[in-house]
Amino acid sequence: MRTTTLGNSGPEVGVIGLGCMGMTHSYDLETPRDYQTSIAVIHQALDLGMTLIDTADVYGPYTNEELVGRALAGGHRDRAVLATKVGLVSDSVQVANPGATSPGAARNGRPEHVRRSIDASLRSLRTGHVDLYQLHRVDPEVPLEETWGAMAETVAAGKARQIGLSEVTADEIRRAQAIHPVASVQSELSLWTRDVLADVLPYCREQCVAFLPFSPLGRGFLAGRFSSPEDLPREDFRRGLPRFQQDALRANLAIVERVRDVARRNEATPAQVALAWVLAQGRHVVPIPGTKTPRYLADNAGAADVTLSAADLGELDAMPAPVGARY
Ligand SMILES: NC(=O)c1ccc[n+]([C@@H]2O[C@H](COP(=O)([O-])OP(=O)(O)OC[C@H]3O[C@@H](n4cnc5c(N)ncnc54)[C@H](OP(=O)(O)O)[C@@H]3O)[C@@H](O)[C@H]2O)c1
């Protein structure tokens, strides 16, 4: 796979990475987990050059990092650019938190939480350092400068090579940069979630900050996986999301049809078109599509070789806005 530099001074990574969240968390929780296949998918990603491997301590909690740790043990660690996150905590009380990635996750940006969590993550991941340590969400109760200062300590201590942010504004990136370099920003970007194009993505480009789009396949929707809410597994985070409700989902199928048209013209799959559009947003953009399925992983890797024409991009840019908020 072709590569790019992660930010200004970061390591070379494949232009498409792998998000591991769905291997243990959020999606399809009624199907028994097949950890051997998930581990094989992580190895397949490394073999294909999809070297950026993304997880977080809140996924599970902890089980996702443990799975990634198992996959990278036994000689694979050095092949990966390993990214994890801190700052969301699993809460047994189901709190209504619109910024959370899953029900029951609350924000914790206290410096002592960061200091404790990095050691726990390193234990789960079976490694002495992570390549990228990301703040999952800014905690409104804690000044960003304090949280970011604790994140910077993890670099000074050799526990993280670089630090990044997630779901932040350009102003928050600026505030963090005043204290320690921001290597990356991970926020949602896909054909149906484009908010960052206005401000955050151009700021990252200008500052040589890597931008890591999460949910680049619209949580599977843009790949054409779901034509009705009944297609979603019963225990699945997406069942609660506005865009996946009956009427919204039906209206949003028009978006998938447009993606399918472009895919047919390019002899590509809808997932590849969705990823190729994200890649076309800049050389600093490294999407991290999630999958636990070997054939989807191979499909996603192929997106690096799909070059959309100006007409294709124009058609996709002109896509109607989705019905329903993202959370
Ligand atoms: N920073 C944050 O707040 C945040 C929030 C959400 C996610 N993330 C990160 O971003 C990563 C990706 O996001 P995501 O998993 O939410 O959404 P996504 O990548 O947009 O979509 C994942 C879904 O698409 C399916 N899929 C993947 N490739 C496919 C293909 N080629 N054809 C058909 N279906 C395909 C997967 O199926 P299977 O799983 O069944 O294979 C899964 O259901 C996560 O793993 C996580 O690391 C970060």
Side-chain angles (χ1 to χ4, degrees):
M1 173 166 303
R2 58 196 170 83
T3 60
T4 189
T5 307
L6 198 69
N8 209 355
S9 55
E12 286 288 298
V13 290
V15 290
I16 302 174
L18 172 64
C20 297
M21 179 182 79
M23 293 175 179
T24 68
H25 191 67
S26 286
Y27 305 147
D28 195 8
L29 299 180
E30 78 208 29
T31 307
R33 299 288 94 178
D34 178 354
Y35 293 128
Q36 284 316 319
T37 301
S38 290
I39 287 170
V41 165
I42 294 171
H43 293 165
Q44 183 188 358
L46 296 176
D47 291 344
L48 291 169
M50 303 164 89
T51 47
L52 181 64
I53 306 293
D54 184 74
T55 178
D57 59 1
V58 75
Y59 301 158
Y62 314 119
T63 53
N64 207 264
E65 286 187 334
E66 286 162 7
L67 176 71
V68 172
R70 273 174 62 193
L72 297 185
H76 298 284
R77 171 67 186 93
D78 292 345
R79 305 167 68 206
V81 174
L82 179 56
T84 193
K85 309 182 206 83
V86 63
L88 281 177
V89 286
S90 185
D91 191 337
S92 53
V93 182
Q94 298 279 300
V95 288
N97 181 350
T101 52
S102 59
R107 300 175 188 213
N108 187 344
R110 290 197 296 278
E112 58 274 22
H113 176 68
V114 173
R115 290 184 195 115
R116 261 196 318 272
S117 299
I118 182 66
D119 292 328
S121 286
L122 295 181
R123 270 195 304 277
S124 299
L125 290 162
R126 305 184 193 190
T127 184
H129 75 275
V130 290
D131 299 293
L132 183 62
Y133 199 41
Q134 303 159 101
L135 179 61
H136 214 150
R137 290 289 184 281
V138 174
D139 182 346
E141 307 290 320
V142 181
L144 171 58
E145 287 74 8
E146 288 182 19
T147 313
W148 195 244
M151 302 281 295
E153 285 172 24
T154 68
V155 177
K159 296 175 182 179
R161 292 280 187 264
Q162 294 187 294
I163 52 178
L165 293 162
S166 173
E167 291 271 278
V168 282
T169 62
D171 188 52
E172 287 168 330
I173 305 171
R174 268 184 221 105
R175 284 169 54 198
Q177 281 176 312
I179 290 168
H180 186 95
V182 175
S184 64
V185 169
Q186 182 177 138
S187 294
E188 187 164 354
L189 172 63
S190 70
L191 279 165
W192 75 350
T193 301
R194 303 175 184 204
D195 317 55
V196 296
L197 295 185
D199 193 6
V200 173
L201 194 90
Y203 183 74
C204 288
R205 182 185 298 123
E206 175 196 308
Q207 297 288 314
C208 289
V209 171
F211 186 85
L212 316 180
F214 76 71
S215 303
L217 299 171
R219 302 180 183 270
F221 181 77
L222 299 166
R225 286 281 297 285
F226 312 110
S227 42
S228 112
E230 283 73 55
D231 295 340
L232 288 162
R234 269 195 314 281
E235 284 185 55
D236 193 294
F237 175 57
R238 289 167 289 203
R239 280 194 173 250
L241 297 177
R243 290 181 189 175
F244 288 87
Q245 304 310 303
Q246 185 79 278
D247 291 346
L249 193 148
R250 197 168 298 129
N252 289 330
L253 287 173
I255 295 176
V256 181
E257 268 323 301
R258 193 79 70 90
V259 180
R260 282 210 172 95
D261 286 345
V262 176
R264 269 190 289 272
R265 282 206 298 274
N266 285 273
E267 297 182 5
T269 65
Q272 289 175 335
V273 167
L275 292 173
W277 178 86
V278 168
L279 284 171
Q281 307 309 312
R283 272 193 59 76
H284 63 314
V285 176
V286 182
I288 46 167
T291 185
K292 50 183 166 46
T293 311
R295 88 187 145 88
Y296 292 159
L297 186 92
D299 189 32
N300 297 343
D305 300 321
V306 174
T307 306
L308 299 172
S309 68
D312 292 332
L313 288 171
E315 188 172 334
L316 294 168
D317 287 342
M319 189 97 88
V323 174
R326 63 193 185 105
Y327 284 112

